[in-house]
Amino acid sequence: MKAVTLDNIDDFVAGAAVLGAGGGWGPHIPMLMVKDAVRRYGHVPIVQPDDLPADGLVIPVGAGGAPTALIERFFEGSEWRIAVRALEKRLGRKAVALMAAELGGGNAVLPVAAAAELGLPVIDADGMRRCFPKVEMTLWQLEGVPASPGVVADTKGNVVLIEGVDNYEVERITRATLVQMGMMAVAAMYPMTAKRVRETSIIGSLTYCHEIGKRLRAVAGGARNGYDDLLEFCEGKIVFTGKVIDLERRTEGGWNLGTVTLEHLEDSDRIMRLDFQNENLVALENGRPVVTSPDLITTLDVETAQAVLTDGLAYGQRLHVLATPAHERWLTPEAIDLVGPRAFGYDLDYVHFFEGATA
């Protein structure tokens, strides 16, 4: 993927929704923002870290808050420019590129709109190759990259500079700030050099996202063996296909929390429950763990093959539950401690889906 254009943005957005694992904010509005930005400013170059000066400043950006709030309100459009400029001012230097902090939902797409407006490229990389809900839940945390100084900006133009003693404190302060900002704001955090991006990030993430979207388009178009091609590329598995029979969802403390229960379409004795905290984190079939974080749990509409985020779940939906593996760097003991099910309060050990799933 060399650039984001009007010809490939739809596939990129579709792939981002899958990698959001139910979170990351719905990508439709960000897609419209990117299309508008591309029409106004031109194609957005996608570059590799080695294409940039080794000491050049790279700023990861994204939206924060509860997904349910993000679908009820809209960004004004200038928040990313304000956040990036504020962080540049704090650091005393200009950015040479932007990048996605997480690759999923709107947060994979919005850095492209920001880069178009600022005249910057976007790096083909991110900090997790999926979505996680907390500031410290990145591979950068494991590599010792500080999230601060960071900036949070809201739709009114308010800007908060955050400098925490560690990334956990940055998360705590950011979460409180998001609540005061109506659970909807943008953030520019984890500033680093292009050299550090290459050393600590998952390279090729945007291209990976685009390739998933291309395969989803083929599935939606009725391609023969379309799902087989998708699952082979993602190394994934459809672990359940069912109808939503129960849904509990609430917004609390800057989080979209809840559970969704599905009854299998062919065997009513099979019941799956997904637990989510912005993202889907645990899948249990008849009470038995089948998939857990950090592996990705994504629900796909049976008819359209489009990813359904946690804020879009509704009674009666017919959904495939797609499990795809986390990047291998998430499977170390240190990473499991950071983003495994126990990190979210579940009394469960990590279960890889090829070990936990039956069919």
Side-chain angles (χ1 to χ4, degrees):
M1 193 176 184
K2 302 299 184 183
V4 177
T5 70
L6 292 176
D7 293 330
N8 62 24
I9 185 60
D10 288 346
D11 288 342
F12 181 60
V13 168
V18 170
L19 294 175
W25 185 35
H28 179 68
I29 297 300
M31 176 189 68
L32 297 179
M33 293 172 65
V34 171
K35 287 185 174 181
D36 178 66
V38 169
R39 291 189 185 100
R40 293 169 60 189
Y41 303 107
H43 297 168
V44 178
I46 303 298
V47 299
Q48 302 302 314
D50 289 341
D51 296 332
L52 303 167
D55 62 349
L57 174 63
V58 177
I59 297 180
V61 297
T68 46
L70 292 167
I71 62 171
E72 293 172 358
R73 301 168 58 197
F74 298 104
F75 286 108
E76 189 275 332
S78 61
E79 295 90 345
W80 284 268
R81 173 177 50 79
I82 292 171
V84 169
R85 293 304 188 217
L87 189 52
E88 288 176 331
K89 182 179 180 180
R90 163 62 182 82
L91 296 169
R93 55 196 303 219
K94 292 289 188 180
V96 298
L98 302 183
M99 68 182 298
E102 61 181 6
L103 198 69
N107 273 340
V109 181
L110 287 168
V112 178
E117 181 179 356
L118 293 167
L120 294 172
V122 174
I123 297 183
D124 190 5
D126 83 311
M128 57 188 85
R129 208 178 77 177
R130 55 156 298 156
C131 284
F132 281 120
K134 295 185 178 181
V135 169
E136 77 275 9
M137 291 179 170
T138 68
L139 292 172
W140 300 325
Q141 161 75 13
L142 297 173
E143 296 288 348
V145 180
S148 64
V151 168
V152 180
D154 69 8
T155 57
K156 298 178 182 178
N158 296 311
V159 175
V160 176
L161 175 66
I162 298 175
E163 301 200 40
V165 297
D166 59 34
N167 293 348
Y168 294 94
E169 285 298 295
V170 173
E171 159 63 25
R172 183 180 65 82
I173 297 167
T174 299
R175 191 63 47 183
T177 303
L178 289 172
V179 171
Q180 295 303 314
M181 289 180 166
M183 293 182 292
M184 174 180 165
V186 304
M189 294 182 175
Y190 283 103
M192 67 188 96
T193 64
K195 178 177 183 292
R196 198 74 174 121
V197 170
R198 178 174 54 79
E199 295 170 342
T200 64
S201 305
I202 298 178
I203 308 301
S205 292
L206 271 64
T207 298
Y208 178 76
C209 178
H210 180 236
E211 290 295 325
I212 290 175
K214 287 167 56 178
R215 286 161 174 79
L216 278 174
R217 174 162 49 87
V219 172
R224 184 178 181 181
N225 301 322
Y227 265 115
D228 291 339
D229 186 30
L230 172 67
L231 297 177
E232 181 180 2
F233 178 77
C234 296
E235 300 179 303
K237 184 174 183 178
I238 293 175
V239 297
F240 200 87
T241 300
K243 179 178 68 175
V244 175
I245 59 171
D246 194 22
L247 175 64
E248 184 273 320
R249 181 172 51 210
R250 67 191 186 279
T251 300
E252 182 178 298
W255 302 92
N256 181 29
L257 307 174
T259 62
V260 60
T261 304
L262 299 95
E263 179 185 279
H264 199 277
L265 292 183
E266 297 179 356
D267 183 353
S268 61
D269 290 332
R270 294 179 62 186
I271 302 294
M272 175 163 280
R273 191 188 83 192
L274 306 181
D275 284 39
F276 55 85
Q277 297 179 27
N278 287 6
E279 286 75 38
N280 295 310
L281 298 173
V282 174
L284 303 102
E285 182 174 335
N286 294 345
R288 180 176 63 90
V290 173
V291 194
T292 68
S293 174
D295 288 334
L296 287 76
I297 305 167
T298 306
T299 53
L300 301 178
D301 186 277
V302 169
E303 303 299 328
T304 67
Q306 291 185 340
V308 179
L309 277 61
T310 57
D311 52 53
L313 293 168
Y315 289 94
Q317 286 174 328
R318 291 154 45 94
L319 304 172
H320 293 305
V321 179
L322 169 67
T324 51
H327 190 276
E328 60 185 10
R329 289 169 61 189
W330 281 121
L331 303 183
T332 65
E334 296 80 10
I336 296 297
D337 286 343
L338 182 65
V339 298
R342 294 188 185 279
F344 296 96
Y346 302 107
D347 187 19
L348 298 170
D349 292 325
Y350 165 63
V351 176
H352 188 280
F353 61 88
F354 273 116
E355 300 169 354
T358 55

